[in-house]
């Protein structure tokens, strides 16, 4: 499923992690498309540390994306396990806020920033690729119920351990996160959440009525 993401821009608050070096962005090389160039420009504006994965000359299969991301996360975790990894499927995304915004939302609880770190997935209004699993997803108090693995963020060390909980038979990031998220014990253990109300990620797929330009 092709989606468009925007990292939402809001007022920054003071949080414990305060350096742009605290966040690294992973994205998949997808050729020299206008969309990919736009994504890289937006990342440069906010001084993100961008790491391009895979072949830069063309599309990358989902199974290859999965392996590239797992390997990149493991490498970062070995160097700095507490570094925040923001994965964005670059060809159809833009970043509209800086690294501190990412840190703020990852530590936000009901009382504001400063809570426990979590792994956060972008929300989606559609359950895919297996619609039959829709009824197994927890219902949020408000917002979108499902997620899209085209954008997620979490600490490198936590993500590495989370990935190791998977069966190893998954063929895409979406399948991997679906299998993990539907296990209540895993959600609790890793504080795995969906950005139901689009506080950090805005998935524009099917959301034309939610966006003001």
């Amino acid at each position: 499923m092709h989606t468009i993401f925007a990292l939402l821009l809001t007022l920054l608050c003071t949080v414990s992690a305060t350096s742009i070096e605290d966040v690294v962005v992973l994205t998949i090389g997808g050729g020299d498309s206008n969309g990919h160039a736009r994504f890289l420009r937006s990342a440069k504006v906010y001084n993100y540390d961008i790491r391009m994965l895979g072949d830069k000359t063309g599309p990358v299969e989902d199974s290859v994306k999965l392996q590239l991301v797992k390997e990149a996360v493991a490498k970062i975790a070995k160097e700095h396990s507490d570094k925040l990894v923001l994965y964005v499927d670059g060809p159809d995304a833009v970043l509209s806020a800086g690294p501190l915004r990412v840190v703020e939302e990852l530590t936000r609880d009901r009382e504001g920033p400063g809570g426990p770190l979590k792994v956060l997935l972008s929300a989606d209004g559609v359950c895919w690729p297996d619609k039959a699993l829709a009824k197994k997803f927890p219902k949020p108090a408000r917002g979108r119920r499902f997620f899209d693995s085209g954008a997620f963020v979490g600490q490198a060390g936590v993500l590495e351990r989370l990935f190791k909980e998977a069966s190893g038979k998954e063929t895409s990031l979406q399948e991997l996160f679906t299998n993990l998220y539907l296990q209540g014990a895993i959600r609790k253990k890793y504080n795995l959440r969906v950005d139901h109300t689009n506080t950090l990620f805005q998935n524009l797929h099917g959301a034309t009525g939610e966006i003001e330009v």
Side-chain angles (χ1 to χ4, degrees), residues 16-197:
S16 58
T18 57
S19 170
I20 61 174
E21 285 79 20
D22 290 327
V23 182
V24 59
V25 176
L26 299 182
T27 190
I28 304 295
D32 297 324
S33 67
N34 290 334
H36 200 70
R38 183 169 55 248
F39 169 75
L40 293 177
R41 285 198 302 271
S42 70
K44 184 177 181 180
V45 167
Y46 293 103
N47 296 314
Y48 277 100
D49 175 8
I50 295 286
R51 302 191 187 181
M52 198 84 67
L53 308 179
D55 188 352
K56 300 179 182 180
T57 61
V60 181
E61 294 183 359
D62 287 343
S63 59
V64 177
K65 287 183 181 181
L66 173 60
Q67 190 59 35
L68 288 171
V69 171
K70 290 170 70 174
E71 290 175 355
V73 166
K75 182 178 180 180
I76 296 170
K78 185 176 181 180
E79 299 169 350
H80 302 286
S81 63
D82 58 347
K83 186 178 286 289
L84 297 180
V85 175
L86 171 63
Y87 172 77
V88 184
D89 213 339
D92 52 7
V94 292
L95 299 169
S96 61
L100 294 186
R101 177 74 173 98
V102 177
V103 178
E104 177 193 9
E105 285 307 324
L106 274 190
T107 61
R108 180 180 295 279
D109 57 22
R110 292 182 179 179
E111 297 180 357
L117 282 168
K118 52 184 171 283
V119 176
L120 194 64
L121 298 161
S122 64
D124 198 340
V126 178
C127 178
W128 65 279
D130 188 353
K131 294 182 180 180
L133 295 176
K135 60 184 179 182
K136 295 185 178 182
F137 278 73
K139 292 183 179 180
R142 59 192 180 95
R144 293 179 168 192
R145 184 176 183 179
F146 311 108
F147 64 78
D148 188 321
S149 62
F152 63 85
V153 61
Q155 279 188 306
V158 175
L159 286 171
E160 182 186 30
R161 294 193 297 274
L162 176 63
F163 290 163
K164 289 180 179 179
E165 297 274 8
S167 68
K169 298 179 181 180
E170 295 85 1
T171 59
S172 68
L173 282 165
Q174 186 73 15
E175 184 180 359
L176 179 145
F177 276 117
T178 297
N179 291 345
L180 294 172
Y181 184 77
L182 293 182
Q183 300 178 57
I186 294 293
R187 289 200 306 274
K188 182 177 181 180
K189 180 178 180 180
Y190 293 95
N191 205 7
L192 179 59
R193 302 188 188 183
V194 174
D195 185 19
H196 297 293
T197 56

